[in-house]
């Protein structure tokens, strides 16, 4: 099945800093999503982005499907951005999640 | 419903007992997934339902685990003869179609004593 790799596995930032999270996948995909799992365990949809670029406030995402990667940008990070960021891809009836990037934003 | 609803939100049971976890997907969503997440870990795929097609059960860890989806809507995940290693958060998600945007419920936290 398709392989999904996220990097870095852990990231510690000072409040106000910017960051880039990466998701690489091993095959073509029909769908790609970014989720934020907050410290209470809730999975929150960030972007549904099989290709192209989207922005939502301080967050933006870019997927380059032909090169099999997606990037999530977080600007001016806040402590509430802390949690785990998951990338998930859909390919031929198979929905696969990466192992996640654990982000800690310090005040 | 407005979102994916799961019940119970918390379940504590004794080793060897059976448990049932319920998922009510977003109205009209044809695809439904169950995942399991152990503490500090990623999401482990369990089972996938798509419309009237046969479910993809390839992620079920043992024959103690089963799931059904009645009328293309509500799904129940059943764990028989629970073991301590079954302790985890069980997450349900639904989407409007194959590969459509996925929406998660808040999960059912299972603790097996």
């Amino acid at each position: 099945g398709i392989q999904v790799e996220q990097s870095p596995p852990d990231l510690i930032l000072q409040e106000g800093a910017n960051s880039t999270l990466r998701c690489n996948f091993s095959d073509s995909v029909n769908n790609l999503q970014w989720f934020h799992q907050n410290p209470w365990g809730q999975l929150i949809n960030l972007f549904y982005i099989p290709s192209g670029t989207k922005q939502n406030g301080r967050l933006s995402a870019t997927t380059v499907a032909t090169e099999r990667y997606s990037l999530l940008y977080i600007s001016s990070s806040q402590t509430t951005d802390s949690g785990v960021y998951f990338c998930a891809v859909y390919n031929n009836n198979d929905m696969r999640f990466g192992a996640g990037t654990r982000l800690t934003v310090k005040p | 419903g407005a979102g994916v609803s799961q019940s119970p939100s918390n379940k504590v049971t004794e080793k060897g007992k059976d448990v049932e976890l319920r998922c009510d997907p977003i109205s009209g969503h044809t695809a439904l997934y169950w995942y399991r997440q152990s503490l500090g870990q990623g999401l482990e795929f369990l089972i996938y339902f798509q419309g009237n097609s046969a479910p993809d059960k390839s992620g079920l860890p043992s024959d103690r685990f089963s799931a059904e989806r009645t009328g293309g809507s509500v799904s129940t995940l059943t764990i028989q003869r629970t073991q301590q290693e079954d302790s985890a958060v069980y997450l349900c998600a639904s989407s409007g179609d194959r590969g459509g945007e996925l929406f998660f419920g808040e999960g059912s936290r299972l603790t097996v004593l």
Side-chain angles (χ1 to χ4, degrees):
Chain A
I2 191 168
Q3 305 298 312
V4 184
E5 293 185 357
Q6 291 188 242
S7 60
D10 293 278
L11 185 58
I12 299 174
L13 299 175
Q14 207 64 38
E15 196 169 28
N18 302 328
S19 63
T20 301
L21 282 58
R22 187 175 181 104
C23 173
N24 291 337
F25 41 96
S26 61
D27 202 347
S28 59
V29 298
N30 308 109
N31 169 19
L32 186 145
Q33 283 186 252
W34 283 97
F35 296 89
H36 173 216
Q37 189 168 41
N38 63 26
W40 295 271
Q42 178 66 28
L43 278 156
I44 299 162
N45 290 29
L46 296 178
F47 294 102
Y48 172 77
I49 185 167
S51 64
T53 297
K54 291 186 177 181
Q55 180 156 7
N56 184 2
R58 297 180 297 104
L59 274 60
S60 64
T62 295
T63 297
V64 185
T66 54
E67 297 187 20
R68 298 180 184 169
Y69 72 88
S70 183
L71 302 174
L72 177 69
Y73 305 96
I74 303 174
S75 64
S76 305
S77 58
Q78 301 177 356
T79 56
T80 52
D81 295 332
S82 296
V84 182
Y85 289 80
F86 288 104
C87 165
V89 301
Y90 184 88
N91 165 273
N92 293 333
N93 294 329
D94 194 9
M95 189 88 186
R96 295 275 175 159
F97 280 76
T101 292
R102 182 173 298 277
L103 174 64
T104 302
V105 181
K106 295 190 172 182
Chain B
V4 179
S5 178
Q6 292 189 245
S7 60
S9 54
N10 276 288
K11 175 72 175 179
V12 180
T13 191
E14 294 179 347
K15 178 181 173 181
K17 301 283 190 183
D18 297 352
V19 297
E20 284 190 352
L21 308 176
R22 176 188 167 106
C23 173
D24 201 343
I26 292 172
S27 178
H29 277 193
T30 60
L32 187 148
Y33 298 79
W34 284 98
Y35 293 88
R36 178 170 72 173
Q37 188 175 33
S38 300
L39 188 62
Q41 302 299 307
L43 277 74
E44 176 189 3
F45 166 75
L46 297 177
I47 188 168
Y48 163 53
F49 295 90
Q50 173 60 50
N52 295 322
S53 303
D56 176 356
K57 304 180 182 180
S58 60
L60 294 178
S62 77
D63 59 8
R64 296 187 296 104
F65 288 73
S66 63
E68 63 177 21
R69 188 177 184 193
T70 54
S73 182
V74 172
S75 177
T76 302
L77 177 68
T78 301
I79 308 173
Q80 295 179 310
R81 305 181 301 282
T82 52
Q83 304 294 311
Q84 289 183 330
E85 60 263 29
D86 299 334
S87 296
V89 176
Y90 289 80
L91 291 156
C92 176
S94 71
S95 70
D97 200 353
R98 298 173 193 274
E101 187 173 3
L102 202 60
F103 294 88
F104 278 87
E106 295 194 355
S108 292
R109 182 177 298 278
L110 174 66
T111 303
V112 182
L113 301 177

